[in-house]
Amino acid sequence: MKVLTGIQPTNLLHIGNLFGALLPAVTLQRDNKLLMMVADYHAITVRQDAMVLRDNILFITAAYLAAGIDPKKTILFQQSRVSAHTELGWIMQTQARMGETARMTQFKDKSGGQEDSASVGLFTYPILQAADILLYQTEGVPVGEDQKQHIEFTRDLAERFNKHFGEVFTIPQPLIRKYGARIKALNEPEKKMSKSAPSAKNYISIMDDAEMIGKKIRSAVTDSMPDISLDEKRLGVYNLLTIYHLITEEPMDEIAARYATKGSKFLKDDLAEALTLYLTPLQAEIKGWLKNKDELQKIIKIGSEAAEELAQKTLVEVKKKIGLL
Ligand code: TYM
């Protein structure tokens, strides 16, 4: 299967990005052709500081590599280096309808009620995302639950285009895992964990140290019931059990049973320790890669050239179908 995914280089990654997208992509890399994208054009839909963005692009590349993305097997590339993304993005803008674009919930979430002053790019970004996916004849897109709507939108656009102009695009499907695709905010477990949250208590960054992890996990909102049980309706507790399961691979019912009478304090203490042990080697790998920025640049450049070649093939087909070539 041909698989593509991307993460925006905004702030540091959190464990939701890790469990929802990055690690699933690393797993899929084994038996599939993977394209792993640094989604920098998506990042600029909200104001970015140029110096910080430049650093974040290298950071995310280092995080991909540290998590196990192998540039010899996988095309690791930077979206803005492949001009076909904005070209197909424009063409797909002429196919997408105002009404369906307006239904995308991320625009409403990300513009935070300030829709009139949000950038037009933030509004049209799902169309660029569709182009990202369709350019490579992608079959599977590993993402977190919050991106499902965008993949469905991509499918609709591709089907409409194929029907109207003739078969060009492969119809992709979202690959959403059972656990890890919807990690909740620690301080508001009814919402998803988010890097742009106003409070750092919302998320665990993959670069948080032991002290920070301890503080955040201990202050995670649970509920007033003294015991621990496996119940999806107990959002905060269920979220902690999910994270525990993802890092230890121990079945969730066994974890819940072990802490049943001990209560949330013990669960939180042990989870904080396990999470620290889990993230420490990843952090060391990332720091190691970041010491060698020239190598990171080289990897991105080579990957982006390989992506460009593939993307151009689809773009030319599209241009022919619609009468531009
Ligand atoms: P972004 O950068 O917001 O998030 C990157 C990935 O992390 C997943 N994710 C989560 N998973 C589980 N729990 C959470 N709390 C959580 N928060 C985020 C997201 O679902 C995503 O998979 N538009 C995309 C980037 C993108 C893309 C693409 C993805 C651009 N083009 C093409 C796939 C294919 C985005 O903003 O992701």
Side-chain angles (χ1 to χ4, degrees), residues 37 42 70 106 123 155 163 173 181 218 263 274 282 300:
M37 182 177 79
H42 288 273
D70 175 0
Q106 282 235 331
F123 182 71
R155 290 169 62 91
K163 209 166 145 209
Q173 57 169 14
R218 273 188 281 279
L282 181 69
I300 303 179

Side-chain angles (χ1 to χ4, degrees), residues 168-308:
V168 181
F169 296 127
T170 303
I171 310 300
Q173 57 169 14
L175 305 174
I176 295 175
R177 14 148 91 172
K178 182 153 188 264
Y179 300 107
R182 55 194 75 74
I183 302 292
K184 303 294 186 185
L186 296 175
N187 60 347
E188 284 175 290
E190 58 289 347
K191 296 194 179 147
K192 66 162 187 160
M193 185 174 280
S194 162
K195 346 179 223 202
S196 53
S199 164
K201 283 192 173 163
N202 172 297
Y203 55 82
I204 302 277
S205 151
I206 62 168
M207 299 310 276
D208 279 348
D209 63 12
E211 197 190 330
M212 191 70 101
I213 293 173
K215 257 195 210 153
K216 289 181 181 177
I217 295 284
R218 273 188 281 279
S219 68
V221 171
T222 48
D223 51 42
S224 54
M225 282 157 75
D227 65 327
I228 294 296
S229 58
L230 188 60
D231 176 355
E232 280 192 53
K233 285 192 239 48
R234 295 183 68 187
L235 299 174
V237 171
Y238 192 81
N239 193 37
L240 297 180
L241 291 172
T242 303
I243 298 169
Y244 205 132
H245 161 69
L246 287 164
I247 55 182
T248 62
E249 289 177 20
E250 197 183 341
M252 277 169 74
D253 54 350
E254 287 178 22
I255 305 169
R258 195 165 60 250
Y259 293 97
T261 52
K262 286 192 192 164
S264 65
K265 184 186 175 305
F266 284 92
L267 170 65
K268 286 178 172 178
D269 283 347
D270 289 354
L271 174 59
E273 197 184 321
L275 201 47
T276 304
L277 283 175
Y278 183 83
L279 291 177
T280 305
L282 181 69
Q283 295 171 353
E285 277 280 317
I286 293 175
K287 286 179 192 153
W289 277 107
L290 285 173
K291 283 197 191 112
N292 199 346
K293 299 210 161 121
D294 289 346
E295 181 64 17
L296 291 175
Q297 294 282 10
K298 203 170 115 195
I299 291 171
I300 303 179
K301 185 165 175 286
I302 292 172
S304 301
E305 282 163 7
E308 174 86 50

Side-chain angles (χ1 to χ4, degrees), residues 4-8 10 14 16-17 19-21 37 39 42 79 106 110 125 129 132-133 141-147 150-151 180-184 192-195:
L4 175 142
T5 199
I7 303 179
Q8 294 193 37
T10 42
H14 58 60
N17 305 130
F19 293 128
M37 182 177 79
H42 288 273
Q79 183 186 29
Q106 282 235 331
K110 291 202 174 180
Y125 121 149
Q129 181 165 354
D132 300 337
I133 297 166
V141 190
V143 280
E145 179 76 34
D146 63 324
Q147 294 293 323
H150 293 165
I151 315 301
R182 55 194 75 74
I183 302 292
K184 303 294 186 185
K192 66 162 187 160
M193 185 174 280
S194 162
K195 346 179 223 202

